[in-house]
Amino acid sequence: MISKQQRQELILDIIQNQPITSQEELLSELLKHRVETTQTTVSRDIRALGIVRIKDINNDLRYQQLQDQGETPDLIVTENAIDAAIIEYAVFVKRVQFMTIIRTTDSSGNAVAGIIDDANLPQVIATLAGFDTIYVTSPDEVSAEALTKRWSALIG
């Protein structure tokens, strides 16, 4: 039986050494290394490791780890981690009443939302994310405006 840490190290090794475009492909590669796990576990590992699908130099989508993740995947997420993710992956930020809408590069919505969720900011009640869009719900319009201004300034 492989430990969580060993499995996550193997996942990083796999995505760094070959183009992996889906969780199914990643599960298949893990099986080749005699690691049996579920899609749910792989999904949690992907989030914990800050892995997103982005376009490579050939314009193909593949899994890659977010930059500046630190040495341990279970570190407490800070506003600096959110800022780094916004700078790297956000392309558009807009406030609509008490919500902040973030458009991201392809396939990075869920990972960036996970980073926002993990930071437990008082200005964030919840996030809802998809392929390239994140809805950040704030307790009020003032909180949403503060987030929007901060994140807009980061992407220019």
Side-chain angles (χ1 to χ4, degrees):
M1 181 97 177
I2 189 170
S3 73
K4 175 182 174 182
Q5 181 178 355
Q6 291 170 323
R7 184 182 64 247
Q8 289 182 345
E9 288 172 2
L10 179 58
I11 288 171
L12 288 175
D13 186 56
I14 290 169
I15 67 164
Q16 289 168 357
N17 291 306
Q18 63 190 89
I20 300 293
T21 62
S22 68
Q23 288 184 14
E24 293 78 21
E25 263 186 82
L26 186 53
L27 280 166
S28 176
E29 286 301 316
L30 287 168
L31 277 174
K32 289 178 184 175
H33 289 87
R34 297 186 178 166
V35 175
E36 291 188 40
T37 190
T38 65
Q39 184 273 329
T40 303
T41 299
V42 168
S43 184
R44 278 191 217 115
D45 288 340
I46 286 171
R47 181 174 170 187
L49 293 167
I51 295 172
V52 295
R53 279 184 14 181
I54 62 171
K55 290 183 181 175
D56 61 16
I57 64 170
N58 298 322
N59 220 22
D60 296 323
L61 287 175
R62 68 179 286 176
Y63 281 120
Q64 189 171 11
Q65 188 176 31
L66 285 171
Q67 301 298 315
D68 301 324
Q69 282 295 299
E71 295 186 16
T72 344
D74 294 329
L75 293 175
I76 295 172
V77 175
T78 65
E79 284 189 57
N80 290 339
I82 295 172
D83 290 352
I86 294 292
I87 289 167
E88 182 89 16
Y89 298 101
V91 294
F92 171 84
V93 178
K94 180 176 178 142
R95 181 181 67 85
V96 177
Q97 294 183 339
F98 57 88
M99 293 181 70
T100 303
I101 301 166
I102 305 168
R103 289 286 310 249
T104 66
T105 56
D106 290 349
S107 293
S108 58
N110 283 313
V112 174
I115 292 168
I116 294 169
D117 286 338
D118 291 344
N120 295 314
L121 298 176
Q123 304 95 330
V124 176
I125 293 175
T127 63
L128 176 65
F131 181 73
D132 64 357
T133 305
I134 306 166
Y135 295 95
V136 180
T137 305
S138 294
D140 52 52
E141 291 184 26
V142 173
S143 297
E145 182 63 23
L147 292 175
T148 302
K149 280 184 180 179
R150 179 183 180 106
W151 295 338
S152 292
L154 292 172
I155 63 171

